[in-house]
Amino acid sequence: EAGVAQSPRYKIIEKRQSVAFWCNPISGHATLYWYQQILGQGPKLLIQFQNNGVVDDSQLPKDRFSAERLKGVDSTLKIQPAKLEDSAVYLCASSDGQAFYEQYFGPGTRLTVT
Amino acid sequence: QKEVEQNSGPLSVPEGAIASLNCTYSDRGSQSFFWYRQYSGKSPELIMFIYSNGDKEDGRFTAQLNKASQYVSLLIRDSQPSDSATYLCAVKGNTPLVFGKGTRLSVIA
């Protein structure tokens, strides 16, 4: 079974630029999560989708971050405009239910904002 | 702000010893508790989850939960150099899953 796929793996941009990350979950997994992990900290949940609906986006900075999951499969997370403090690893995870113990993480995208 | 606190370490233990990792949380309404292992440069992977007070054992790992003290711990018996990683505690209540900053464990051969 293929795991969670993410791209790109690395991205370097200047502040005020835009960037987008892509995630393809494990086949059949209805729930998709985006996390932000700043160096030295634990992951922080940004948004949770159930199929193509949003379950929780309370920690998503909506003035600059947006996410969508069209057709309930793959998902895109966008940052516009980026700030220096957005430098982090962005992790995508998926599960076939809403139980967090079932979630599988992708390899992550490391974003550096200069 | 719901908080999950962990000692950042590093915690160094000799090979074959028991490693004890601790975590406290602020939200008394928390219901589910998770331990993840994260190797450097890799994604987190789930080791254990626990919902009820007491101990839960899985192989060399034991999770312990004390809701009255708002405390959860992970014991690793017969520690191996391959256990060297950062261990993340995560807590779920009626809010999004909250992770601690993690404890870095180093098992010395």
Side-chain angles (χ1 to χ4, degrees):
Chain A
E1 179 182 74
V4 177
Q6 290 188 247
S7 68
R9 293 295 312 279
Y10 305 92
K11 189 75 176 179
I12 301 173
I13 62 172
E14 295 182 352
K15 59 183 179 184
R16 292 187 290 273
Q17 286 187 324
S18 301
V19 64
F21 312 127
W22 174 83
C23 172
N24 189 268
I26 292 173
S27 178
H29 279 193
T31 307
L32 186 147
Y33 314 81
W34 282 103
Y35 290 87
Q36 178 194 58
Q37 186 172 22
I38 293 172
L39 186 65
Q41 298 186 19
K44 181 177 101 173
L45 181 66
L46 294 176
I47 189 167
Q48 177 185 347
F49 291 97
Q50 177 77 13
N51 295 310
N52 60 349
V54 175
V55 174
D56 191 318
D57 64 356
S58 58
Q59 300 189 114
L60 185 73
K62 299 180 184 66
D63 57 333
R64 298 184 301 106
F65 286 65
S66 64
E68 60 182 10
R69 190 183 185 199
L70 300 177
K71 300 180 182 179
V73 181
D74 55 354
S75 175
T76 303
L77 177 70
K78 297 180 181 178
I79 307 175
Q80 181 179 7
K83 293 185 176 181
L84 296 177
E85 58 261 36
D86 298 332
S87 294
V89 175
Y90 290 84
L91 296 162
C92 179
S94 72
S95 69
D96 63 3
Q98 290 201 45
F100 283 87
Y101 61 80
E102 298 174 323
Q103 67 178 331
Y104 296 88
F105 284 88
T109 296
R110 182 177 299 277
L111 173 67
T112 302
V113 182
T114 63
Chain B
Q1 177 72 18
K2 312 302 182 187
E3 294 187 348
V4 176
E5 299 288 340
Q6 296 182 256
N7 188 319
S8 62
L11 172 66
S12 295
V13 299
E15 183 175 359
I18 295 175
S20 178
L21 303 159
N22 305 315
C23 172
T24 59
Y25 58 94
S26 63
D27 181 11
R28 284 199 169 274
S30 299
Q31 299 157 1
S32 311
F33 307 86
F34 307 86
W35 283 101
Y36 288 82
R37 177 176 62 200
Q38 186 171 30
Y39 292 112
S40 181
K42 301 296 185 182
S43 299
E45 54 179 330
L46 183 71
I47 299 174
M48 297 277 294
F49 62 91
I50 186 167
Y51 299 145
S52 304
N53 276 330
D55 295 359
K56 179 180 179 182
E57 186 175 319
D58 184 1
R60 295 186 297 113
F61 299 98
T62 299
Q64 299 175 317
L65 175 61
N66 184 326
K67 289 186 178 180
S69 299
Q70 295 177 243
Y71 176 93
V72 59
S73 65
L74 179 70
L75 301 178
I76 306 175
R77 290 181 298 282
D78 188 24
S79 295
Q80 301 298 310
S82 58
D83 295 326
S84 298
T86 296
Y87 289 80
L88 299 162
C89 173
V91 174
K92 178 78 173 76
N94 293 321
T95 55
L97 187 67
V98 179
F99 283 83
K101 293 184 177 181
T103 298
R104 190 156 53 94
L105 172 66
S106 178
V107 180
I108 310 300

